[in-house]
Amino acid sequence: QVQLVESGGGLVQAGGSLRLSCAASGRTFSSDAMAWFRQAPGKEREFVAAISWSVVDTFYARSVKGRFTISRDNAKNTVYLQMNSLKPEDTAVYYCAPVRDSDHAPTGSWGQGTQVTVSS
């Protein structure tokens, strides 16, 4: 059974940093592009960042570019999201998922998410 487990969320003040992890089990995701998404209360889930299977290419939503960095360790089947200069509007539940290379649409297998709360 494929399982994605996100961790590393928490409560942080504006301007602070957090590092999220997404550990995959059940199958290897080393040949998949992977992405982070987030969902704030009352809003739809939105794309945050993606990384190609080869680690060569990364993509970011305009709202996080320059502040967030996505990375992966294929040997550990784990994807990371380093979040710096956090803002209250970054508050959301963060999820990772495998995605299509072409448009970063999720291809299934959501985890339970990890809550990030940024206080002003």
Side-chain angles (χ1 to χ4, degrees):
Q1 183 177 358
V2 176
Q3 187 175 19
L4 296 169
V5 178
E6 299 92 342
S7 62
L11 173 63
V12 64
Q13 288 188 332
S17 298
L18 284 173
R19 188 192 193 208
L20 306 184
S21 298
C22 170
S25 61
R27 74 167 179 87
T28 179
F29 286 91
S30 59
S31 60
D32 293 86
M34 296 291 292
W36 286 94
F37 296 80
R38 66 187 181 186
Q39 187 167 19
K43 295 187 177 181
E44 293 187 353
R45 193 171 299 186
E46 65 174 0
F47 170 82
V48 175
I51 186 167
S52 63
W53 69 270
S54 64
V55 192
V56 171
D57 298 311
T58 56
F59 307 86
Y60 298 93
R62 191 173 301 178
S63 59
V64 307
K65 196 168 187 177
R67 300 187 298 120
F68 291 11
T69 302
I70 189 171
S71 61
R72 67 191 297 168
D73 184 336
N74 287 336
K76 295 183 179 179
N77 223 17
T78 301
V79 181
Y80 305 97
L81 186 68
Q82 177 67 44
M83 306 188 296
N84 298 330
S85 302
L86 282 161
K87 304 175 181 180
E89 51 263 44
D90 294 319
T91 294
V93 178
Y94 284 71
Y95 304 86
C96 69
V99 295
R100 289 197 297 247
D101 286 304
S102 57
D103 59 0
H104 304 139
T107 58
S109 301
W110 293 101
Q112 85 290 344
T114 186
Q115 176 71 49
V116 171
T117 303
V118 184
S119 63
S120 56

